[in-house]
Amino acid sequence: MAAEHVVIDLDENGHEPAERSGITQAIVANRRKMLLQLVVVFVIGAVLGGVGVGELRDSRTQRERSTVVALVALTESGYLGGSNSRGTVQLNGQLTLVNTGPAPITIRAIQAERPGVQVRGMGQARLIRAGGTGQILVDLQLECSTAFQPEPLSVRFSVETEDKRLREVRYPVALVGSAWQEDALRMCELPLDS
């Protein structure tokens, strides 16, 4: 008896026809290409989104910055001309304003009133840059006997901010010991106008 030899190719099941193998490689290549395109689109979207969020944050910060009003008001000599009539002194004085806010502001109007005191701006607008100072002329009407109370005078300012909106702010101004008090008391001691 002759022995027959049977050869078993163990790799035979792993082989696909050449035509089918080429299709599989093309599908894998297309999937890799699509995956790469998706990654590129994602990266571009993330970069643009980050830039957009940064721009939005900067824009919001700028808008918030342009609405802030912070100022300090100091009295300056009020004896720029005045009169004394029946115990009431009228002076033309000024306020020095310091813009402590982050953006320029324009002072449109000034007003303050309480018994014995009236303060009115003289109508001129004044632009004050951030960190800058400016003087504003005011009309003062002060009663010699009642104007100078210990509590500060609440002065109201109409302010146009960088976003072109008008805002009202108040600042307390001390009259006792001020240049206005000194000038008014000097005027109160003068003879009354006829």
Side-chain angles (χ1 to χ4, degrees):
M1 289 204 146
E4 283 187 36
H5 291 316
V6 177
V7 177
I8 300 174
D9 187 357
L10 297 175
D11 288 336
E12 187 175 81
N13 294 335
H15 285 295
E16 297 178 13
E19 185 178 301
R20 193 169 176 196
S21 176
I23 293 172
T24 303
Q25 287 176 351
I27 290 172
V28 169
N30 282 341
R31 284 184 183 166
R32 284 184 182 157
K33 186 177 176 183
M34 279 191 346
L35 181 61
L36 183 59
Q37 288 174 344
L38 286 173
V39 168
V40 168
V41 167
F42 176 76
V43 169
I44 290 172
V47 168
L48 290 177
V51 169
V53 167
E55 290 293 322
L56 181 62
R57 187 178 320 121
D58 291 347
S59 174
R60 184 177 304 137
T61 300
Q62 177 64 24
R63 277 194 315 269
E64 289 171 357
R65 179 181 161 271
S66 71
T67 64
V68 173
V69 176
L71 59 86
V72 175
L74 307 167
T75 62
E76 293 292 329
S77 181
Y79 195 64
L80 301 174
S83 63
N84 179 356
S85 174
R86 295 188 195 109
T88 299
V89 174
Q90 293 185 327
L91 300 171
N92 295 324
Q94 64 182 9
L95 276 173
T96 294
L97 301 177
V98 181
N99 179 2
T100 60
I105 57 173
T106 301
I107 306 298
R108 295 287 179 194
I110 298 173
Q111 182 177 359
E113 201 169 315
R114 74 174 181 207
V117 180
Q118 285 187 352
V119 179
R120 302 272 182 269
M122 296 180 89
Q124 78 281 11
R126 175 76 175 171
L127 174 67
I128 306 173
R129 64 179 173 76
T133 61
Q135 280 74 35
I136 303 286
L137 296 176
V138 292
D139 288 324
L140 306 168
Q141 185 172 335
L142 307 165
E143 290 183 20
C144 295
S145 61
T146 61
F148 301 100
Q149 303 299 316
E151 66 275 352
L153 177 66
S154 179
V155 179
R156 186 173 61 236
F157 299 90
S158 177
V159 179
E160 183 180 328
T161 52
E162 202 173 32
D163 63 355
K164 303 298 181 206
R165 292 193 176 177
L166 284 179
R167 289 174 167 70
E168 184 177 291
V169 296
R170 291 183 176 268
Y171 189 82
V173 174
L175 295 182
V176 173
S178 71
W180 290 355
Q181 181 184 30
E182 185 179 309
D183 295 335
L185 292 178
R186 191 173 322 129
M187 292 290 293
C188 287
E189 293 171 359
L190 295 177
L192 299 178
D193 292 343
S194 327

